[in-house]
């Protein structure tokens, strides 16, 4: 059984307030097709890369797997559980770190934020504190533990989002551009940490082809909401020109 099975997923966002716009004589926007008939399988323990331009559909697909967005058509299974009908079970299996993080409490410091989320996961306080210390060390966040989230740089907010995704040791990780806004040293440390995760199934989105080549067993290229190719990084590089 695959860790993640995606079958003919499509997602269309309808225009906002079409009747209200018509009433006031405003132009009604067209529907936006974010994904169209996307299918792929991610195996247990695999680091699978998803690469594409901004607006290609990477983040939408990640959010559908994480149950934050429901597909218009198709089905996603996470270890055999349906992302729509078994959403609670799916969320217990998945750790998500997005490039646009809005769910932290800005007035709490980093440690307090992770303690709050550990309680949502049902973790005991002593185990949570130990796990948070481990993650701060892994991600070089020790010096920021007592700093308020609102005072963090964009890159440090991203690292804290990855720490939260790892907090409950989920078997599946969805990492949406995890090295975005990180300096070269922090990005290298992040890649090293991702590579060290044994037995964890990872979907990694990125714009960085060299990062995908370094980390991923296989990679899918997505463009305009459609999967254009799935193969190993080496085979994809050999079969495509640098400008493609």
């Amino acid at each position: 059984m695959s860790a993640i099975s995606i079958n003919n997923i499509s997602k269309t966002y309808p225009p906002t307030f079409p009747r209200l716009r018509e009433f006031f004589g405003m132009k009604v926007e067209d529907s936006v097709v974010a994904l169209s008939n996307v299918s792929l399988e991610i195996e247990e323990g695999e680091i699978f890369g998803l690469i594409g331009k901004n607006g290609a559909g990477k983040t939408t697909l990640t959010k559908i797997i994480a149950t934050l967005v429901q597909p218009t058509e198709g089905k996603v299974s996470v270890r055999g559980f349906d992302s729509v009908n078994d959403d609670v079970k799916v969320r217990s299996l998945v750790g998500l770190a997005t490039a646009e993080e809005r769910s932290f409490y800005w007035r709490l410091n980093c440690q307090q934020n992770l303690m709050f989320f550990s309680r949502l996961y049902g973790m005991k306080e002593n185990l949570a504190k130990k796990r948070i210390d481990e993650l701060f060390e892994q991600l070089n966040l020790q010096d920021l533990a007592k700093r308020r989230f609102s005072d963090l740089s964009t890159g440090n907010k991203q690292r804290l989002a990855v720490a939260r995704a790892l907090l409950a040791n989920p078997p599946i990780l969805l990492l949406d551009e995890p090295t975005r806004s990180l300096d070269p040293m922090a990005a290298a440390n992040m890649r090293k940490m991702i590579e060290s995760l044994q037995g964890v199934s990872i979907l990694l989105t990125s714009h960085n082809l060299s990062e995908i080549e370094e980390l991923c067993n296989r990679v899918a290229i997505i463009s305009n909401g459609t999967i254009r190719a799935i193969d190993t990084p080496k085979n994809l590089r050999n079969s495509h020109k640098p400008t493609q």
Side-chain angles (χ1 to χ4, degrees), residues 157-237:
K157 288 175 182 175
Q158 181 69 9
R159 288 196 290 167
L160 192 65
V162 172
R164 190 190 62 181
L166 292 163
L167 189 57
N169 285 306
I172 295 169
L173 277 177
L174 308 175
L175 303 179
D176 188 13
E177 300 181 41
T179 60
R180 180 183 182 182
S181 302
L182 299 187
D183 63 70
M185 289 286 290
N189 184 64
M190 179 70 74
R191 289 191 291 270
K192 183 178 179 181
M193 186 277 296
I194 292 170
E195 200 169 23
S196 71
L197 297 172
Q198 299 295 318
V200 180
S201 308
I202 301 173
L203 174 63
L204 173 70
T205 78
S206 179
H207 295 119
N208 188 332
L209 183 57
S210 62
E211 180 173 271
I212 291 289
E213 287 183 304
E214 179 181 343
L215 292 173
C216 298
N217 309 103
R218 291 184 300 143
V219 57
I221 298 174
I222 187 169
S223 176
N224 296 324
T226 302
I227 298 295
R228 305 297 180 179
I230 300 177
D231 210 328
T232 64
K234 181 179 179 180
N235 287 344
L236 286 174
R237 179 175 282 280

Side-chain angles (χ1 to χ4, degrees), residues 44-236:
E44 290 285 351
E46 180 179 23
I47 303 179
F48 188 97
L50 186 63
I51 193 165
K53 297 179 181 179
N54 287 331
K58 303 187 301 298
T59 298
T60 298
L61 183 59
T62 301
K63 288 182 176 180
I64 288 174
I65 298 169
T67 77
L68 298 180
V69 172
Q70 290 193 358
T72 306
E73 295 178 2
K75 180 180 180 180
V76 172
S77 296
V78 177
R79 285 193 164 183
F81 295 100
D82 184 82
S83 66
V84 175
N85 299 321
D86 304 312
D87 56 326
V88 174
K89 182 61 179 178
V90 169
R91 284 195 289 272
S92 72
L93 296 171
V94 168
L96 170 67
T98 64
E100 298 176 356
E101 186 50 64
R102 298 188 181 95
S103 58
F104 284 105
Y105 287 87
W106 286 55
R107 293 187 179 183
L108 298 182
N109 65 36
C110 296
Q111 188 176 54
Q112 289 168 337
N113 263 291
L114 291 191
M115 282 300 298
F116 170 79
F117 287 108
S118 73
R119 292 190 179 100
L120 294 183
Y121 289 129
M123 300 173 68
K124 294 182 179 179
E125 186 171 348
N126 60 332
L127 293 177
K129 287 181 178 178
K130 181 180 178 181
R131 178 60 176 157
I132 290 168
D133 288 343
E134 291 173 353
L135 291 170
F136 281 165
E137 184 175 355
Q138 271 187 300
L139 294 165
N140 292 326
L141 289 168
Q142 303 99 313
D143 295 340
L144 303 176
K146 301 299 183 181
R147 186 175 297 183
R148 289 203 309 181
F149 183 79
S150 61
D151 297 333
L152 297 181
S153 67
T154 302
N156 286 331
K157 288 175 182 175
Q158 181 69 9
R159 288 196 290 167
L160 192 65
V162 172
R164 190 190 62 181
L166 292 163
L167 189 57
N169 285 306
I172 295 169
L173 277 177
L174 308 175
L175 303 179
D176 188 13
E177 300 181 41
T179 60
R180 180 183 182 182
S181 302
L182 299 187
D183 63 70
M185 289 286 290
N189 184 64
M190 179 70 74
R191 289 191 291 270
K192 183 178 179 181
M193 186 277 296
I194 292 170
E195 200 169 23
S196 71
L197 297 172
Q198 299 295 318
V200 180
S201 308
I202 301 173
L203 174 63
L204 173 70
T205 78
S206 179
H207 295 119
N208 188 332
L209 183 57
S210 62
E211 180 173 271
I212 291 289
E213 287 183 304
E214 179 181 343
L215 292 173
C216 298
N217 309 103
R218 291 184 300 143
V219 57
I221 298 174
I222 187 169
S223 176
N224 296 324
T226 302
I227 298 295
R228 305 297 180 179
I230 300 177
D231 210 328
T232 64
K234 181 179 179 180
N235 287 344
L236 286 174

Side-chain angles (χ1 to χ4, degrees), residues 8-38:
N8 299 315
I9 284 293
S10 295
K11 179 61 181 180
T12 301
Y13 291 99
T16 56
F17 307 114
R19 293 182 180 178
L20 190 62
R21 285 177 173 271
E22 286 179 354
F23 179 81
F24 286 105
M26 300 170 66
K27 180 182 177 181
V28 178
E29 299 172 349
D30 295 331
S31 297
V32 176
V33 179
L35 296 171
S36 180
N37 295 318
V38 171

